[in-house]
Amino acid sequence: MKWLTLKEIKQQLRIEADWHDEDALLVRYGDSAETVVLNLTGRTYDELKAMNPTGEDAIPADVWEATVMLVELSYQQRSPLTSQNLSIVPFAFDIKIKPYMRLTTKEDEV
């Protein structure tokens, strides 16, 4: 994972133990969530870091929060989806990610 840590994921999921039988699964969910965010925004990790309004060498807090939301959804909805347990990504995810989405292709920007 580039910006999430296993410790942060466990905090989000309220997993208190230092050890966890599903650590490898949580790391896979973290990797996947980061890839989804990069694909949705059309940006690289370095581009997202450069967009941090605080000037810190880290991705913006909104992007971090949206990413960890995806991990939580993946963890909570591990079984096959049915109409009874289907839920969409929260609206808060869209609000946090949309300002960082590339609206043009890289070729259009040249």
Side-chain angles (χ1 to χ4, degrees):
M1 294 180 289
K2 293 183 179 183
W3 62 83
L4 292 180
T5 66
L6 184 58
K7 181 179 178 181
E8 291 168 333
I9 290 171
K10 286 182 173 185
Q11 287 173 335
Q12 177 73 16
L13 298 173
R14 295 177 182 91
I15 297 172
E16 295 179 10
D18 286 337
W19 61 272
H20 194 262
D21 290 342
E22 297 178 326
D23 283 356
L25 178 67
L26 296 176
V27 169
R28 265 197 318 270
Y29 287 156
D31 285 335
S32 177
E34 288 179 355
T35 299
V36 167
V37 167
L38 292 173
N39 288 339
L40 283 174
T41 61
R43 300 198 181 271
T44 66
Y45 172 60
D46 289 331
E47 287 174 319
L48 288 174
K49 287 193 322 183
M51 297 174 79
N52 191 331
T54 66
E56 294 177 47
D57 187 30
I59 62 163
D62 286 341
V63 175
W64 182 91
E65 290 176 22
T67 309
V68 81
M69 270 187 216
L70 289 178
V71 174
E72 186 171 12
L73 284 170
S74 295
Y75 185 75
Q76 290 175 346
Q77 298 184 359
R78 292 184 276 177
S79 60
L81 295 177
T82 66
S83 59
Q84 287 81 22
N85 69 358
L86 178 64
S87 68
I88 59 173
V89 174
F91 183 62
F93 175 84
D94 289 338
I95 291 172
K96 292 177 182 302
I97 285 295
K98 282 190 179 184
Y100 301 96
M101 289 181 163
R102 184 183 307 279
L103 301 177
T104 62
T105 63
K106 288 183 181 182
E107 292 79 26
D108 291 341
E109 293 177 358
V110 176

